[in-house]
Amino acid sequence: MSAAHILVVDDERDIRELLKEILEDEGYEVSTAENGGAARLARRGRRPDLVLLDIWMPDVDGISLLKEWSDERGPFCPVIMMSGHGTVETAVEATRLGAYDFIEKPLSMAKLLVTIARALEAQRLERENIGLRKYAPPVLEPLGRSVPMQQLREQIQRVAQHDAWVLISGEPGTGKGLCARYLHACSVRRNRPFVEVGAATLLRENSATELFGAETGGKLQYGLLEQANGGTLFLDEVGDLDLTIQARLFGALESGACLRVGGGEPVQLDVRILAASHRDLAREVQAKRFREDLYYRLAVVPLAVPPLREHPEDISDLLSHYVDMLVNQEGLAYRRFSVATQNRLRHHGWPGNIRELKNLVQRLLILGGGEDVEVEEVEAALAAFGEQHGAAGSAGDFDLPLREARDKFERAYLEYQLRAAGGSMGKVAKQAGMERTHLYRKLRALGLNPREVKLEDDE
């Protein structure tokens, strides 16, 4: 696993060499550039985790470079400006353009090291907030005291100590994404990026750019593979990847390098891949819908997440967890599940697994009036869910091709969530467990207009 990569840009050779030596002694990986042109080339060759940028240089000043980089698409790594002749106006301009901090020369090494550590930590926390906002407060490990869940946690902890790639299988709603995040948190890469992408949310025409990045008009767009460099890339529902992208992804993973769209030089990668799918990918390989070489490259270590019906003894703990979470996060009134109610839920089949249980708890807290959740309420809620589920997936849908059937279900599901949320995209993204940008892409791909769905509901 690589350490944080710092790019030092300064036209004074002594400063570059001193900073490189000190930062490498501190455990960082360091590249240097003597001017703006060299800095551009260095960033094109490899995405840095942080840039130390001098302001006054012979070819282009640091403020101009900072503005140029801030105009590019994609995540913006922390930039710490350095200058021996800075002014308040210069510092304000640098901050407005996104610089993390401004340090005057001669440099105080103690202050610089603290600032670098804080900037990298702020970047890590920002990534976690983006990735885990919909799970806050974050669940650190898969819940449950049953034997299957204890075995699952132990297996994840063992696998995490190695850098092998992992293929996580399980039915929809079992918590495959949570297992991936827990595995990353237990690994030596825990302080490096964790980048999650749902394969189904990648638009076919832009998927290569999103995964591998692009170089257009002199500007860089870092792809998801580069954003995860040094850390972990989680490919959720990897079976949904287009075969063309599968081929290109295999080539990148096999060679340890990727080529940006429009780029001419390969970019070296150091990424751990975690993939997940609810499908039997071995059967998908036999049906020629998934590449055999990519399957064996991903499935170095298989990890199976059990469905909820195989560990019903954990339902009591799960109910308590989701009640507390929804009360704290959404301000819903606390309600208690009696022993009789819990017993009824233990005997439910849970086709939607833990996601279905969470949705049921949320519905009962929102619609219920009493302090106790009665068995009759649960029966009514389960019956209502069954009717909606049946409407979204009628018998005639089984005659459709798999992708058409899935699109039909996803459309019905998202229409329902939009109506239930009153058209609030933030609420839909949270309920569906999707990044808001991915949700917008999915709606566009399905031809759904959120405003139209909302207006239908208002009528």
Side-chain angles (χ1 to χ4, degrees), residues 167-169 176 197-202 204 234-246 249 274-285 287-291 294-295 298 402-403 406 410:
L167 179 60
I168 306 171
S169 61
K176 299 184 291 294
V197 56
T201 66
L202 292 172
R204 184 172 298 182
F234 174 46
L235 291 168
D236 195 14
E237 293 302 340
V238 69
D240 288 334
L241 283 177
D242 180 76
L243 282 169
T244 303
I245 294 300
Q246 289 182 30
L249 178 62
L274 306 179
S277 178
H278 72 276
R279 304 181 189 182
D280 185 338
L281 289 187
R283 290 187 179 181
E284 294 293 296
V285 169
K288 307 297 183 184
R289 291 188 292 264
F290 199 83
R291 290 181 61 97
L294 180 59
Y295 169 70
L298 294 173
L402 179 62
R403 289 189 183 275
R406 187 180 68 245
E410 288 178 344

Side-chain angles (χ1 to χ4, degrees), residues 50-51 66 76-81 91 94-103 111-112 114-123 126:
L50 182 142
V51 179
L66 181 64
F76 185 52
C77 76
V79 176
I80 298 173
M81 307 299 294
T95 303
R96 187 183 66 80
L97 291 171
Y100 177 81
D101 207 343
F102 185 99
I103 296 181
K111 180 180 179 180
L112 180 64
V114 169
T115 305
I116 289 172
R118 288 176 176 170
L120 291 171
E121 178 65 9
Q123 182 191 41
E126 182 180 1

Side-chain angles (χ1 to χ4, degrees), residues 303-339:
L303 187 69
V305 185
L308 182 53
R309 63 181 175 275
E310 291 184 5
H311 55 108
E313 59 269 41
D314 290 325
I315 285 175
S316 295
D317 287 342
L318 289 167
L319 289 172
S320 296
H321 168 75
Y322 284 118
V323 167
D324 291 342
M325 185 186 77
L326 292 166
V327 168
N328 292 329
Q329 281 186 26
E330 302 185 10
L332 298 177
Y334 178 85
R335 303 191 72 198
R336 182 173 58 246
F337 285 78
S338 66
V339 173

Side-chain angles (χ1 to χ4, degrees), residues 156 168 175-185 194 232 234 274:
I156 290 174
I168 306 171
K176 299 184 291 294
L178 174 61
C179 290
R181 289 185 290 276
Y182 181 54
L183 195 156
H184 173 76
F194 177 86
T232 302
F234 174 46
L274 306 179

